[in-house]
Amino acid sequence: MRDVAIIGVKNTKFGELWERSLRDIVVEAGIGAIQDAGVSGKDIDALYIGNMSGGRFVEQEHIGALIADYFGLSRNLHVPATRVEAACASGGLALRQAIMAVASGYSEIVVAAGAEKMTDVGSEEASSALAAAADREWEGMAGATFPGLYAMIAKLHMHMYGTTGEQLAEVAVKNHKNGSFNPIAQYKNTITVDNVLNSIMVADPLHIFDCSPITDGASALVLAPAEIAHKYTDTPIYIKATAQASDTIALHDRRDITTLDATVMAAKRAYSMAKLTPEDIDLVEVHDCFTIAEICAIEDLGFAEKGKGGIVTENGETAIGGRIPVNTSGGLKACGHPVGATGIKQAVEIVTQLRGEAGKRQVEGAEYGMTHNVGGSGATAVVHIFSRGM
């Protein structure tokens, strides 16, 4: 297996992009990443695109072919393009597939992209499409929504470990502050703990400010074998580990719903592959679809003792300048959550940080970064580790 490097990156703006189509935003991200990498269409061997539910959101299936067409990679070049779906982990899994294509030697230059156009339908239809990432028969048809499922996780975490609503709110406050420094973020407004606790209750104990939004957006990366990366860029970022794990799709079959075992196992595999420990990681982008999800993630990834994620957050250890900065992009909460793009956006943020190009949200001296992308309520978890040096 060959070492793999990222040589180009690009995000579109995240938000309610009503004036733009799915193909518009993916082309912007893809062309931007290709230009950043200094490659051309004839150099690209394969394209992997993460997309959860184009059929529901924009009535478009056959996403891989669509994107290859509008990238200009189909008519003369006939580049193979593959859509990857793993609910909200579609982007992270598309990146994993691209990494394996390069690492195996089957491909040299590969584009990994992710996109979702979620605001072209009403909120009820969007919620229905997202609910398909849960167990439709045993959860969705019983009336469970994702806020409801994560509310159950939050309630049990509070009961078992004493986690408070104020600690959940601190996650949102931190991520909005980080998002205020991110030019692509959907929300750049800062908020307070009181703002969160006094916002509309969605599913007790989760308020609307505890929940990530409905978002349009696209992100893209260009990958190459590490041994030729410097041919394209002076600042290649190296993939140290890629790992994936699965768990039951329904919460009621889990060993412990306050622990995402898929995250624990994917992280264990990633640390082993990279020959690193949690103490080596300088910053991490985690899947904070809800504030409780970030608290569980930092515990499951080894950055906080089980049950202490709320305390670690409250103490400022996950802030920029803290012991382990979490979600410097603003996370899903403030940057936005276009479900197919999120896993790629997380990687773009880590690359930007390791290049030293993150501006006011820069983590100084960072050598290793991690991304954590989750599908559904934890049935799929994808973890990547990146480094500034080989």
Side-chain angles (χ1 to χ4, degrees), residues 10 25-27 29-31 33 46-51 63 67 71 82-84 90-95 98 110-116 217-223 340-345 348:
K10 176 67 176 179
I25 58 176
V26 180
V27 167
I31 297 302
L47 165 67
Y48 294 88
I49 173 80
N51 177 265
I63 300 291
I67 302 311
F71 265 19
T82 304
R83 174 189 177 181
V84 179
S90 297
L93 192 54
L95 173 56
V110 175
V111 175
E116 211 76 50
S219 303
L221 303 157
V222 181
L223 287 73
T342 287
I344 301 291
K345 181 272 294 184
V348 172

Side-chain angles (χ1 to χ4, degrees), residues 9 22 33 47 58 65 75 80 99-100 118 137 233 243 273 314 319 324 352 367:
V9 300
L22 177 70
L47 165 67
V58 295
R75 183 169 297 182
I99 291 168
M100 291 191 292
M118 303 174 71
E137 182 174 351
T233 177
M273 184 176 184
E314 189 174 39
I324 176 66
T352 303
E367 293 286 340

Side-chain angles (χ1 to χ4, degrees), residues 343-376:
I344 301 291
K345 181 272 294 184
Q346 292 177 325
V348 172
E349 175 67 14
I350 297 298
V351 170
T352 303
Q353 287 281 350
L354 296 181
R355 285 177 170 182
E357 299 173 351
K360 291 183 178 180
R361 65 186 193 281
Q362 181 67 48
V363 176
E364 298 299 334
E367 293 286 340
Y368 294 104
M370 171 183 277
T371 60
H372 161 254
N373 195 198
V374 170

Side-chain angles (χ1 to χ4, degrees), residues 216-291:
D216 303 329
S219 303
L221 303 157
V222 181
L223 287 73
E227 65 265 22
I228 64 170
H230 275 287
K231 173 182 174 183
Y232 301 100
T233 177
D234 293 331
T235 56
I237 301 303
Y238 301 96
I239 310 290
K240 303 302 289 184
T242 175
Q244 178 188 356
S246 304
D247 201 350
T248 67
I249 194 168
L251 284 187
H252 65 255
D253 284 327
R254 303 272 175 87
R255 176 188 63 83
D256 170 10
I257 68 170
T258 69
T259 298
L260 272 62
D261 281 345
T263 294
V264 174
M265 184 53 66
K268 180 179 179 181
R269 291 168 179 166
Y271 288 130
S272 176
M273 184 176 184
K275 297 180 175 59
L276 298 171
T277 69
E279 289 72 29
D280 296 310
I281 305 300
D282 296 303
L283 73 159
V284 58
E285 289 283 304
V286 307
H287 197 93
D288 62 317
C289 48
F290 301 92
T291 51

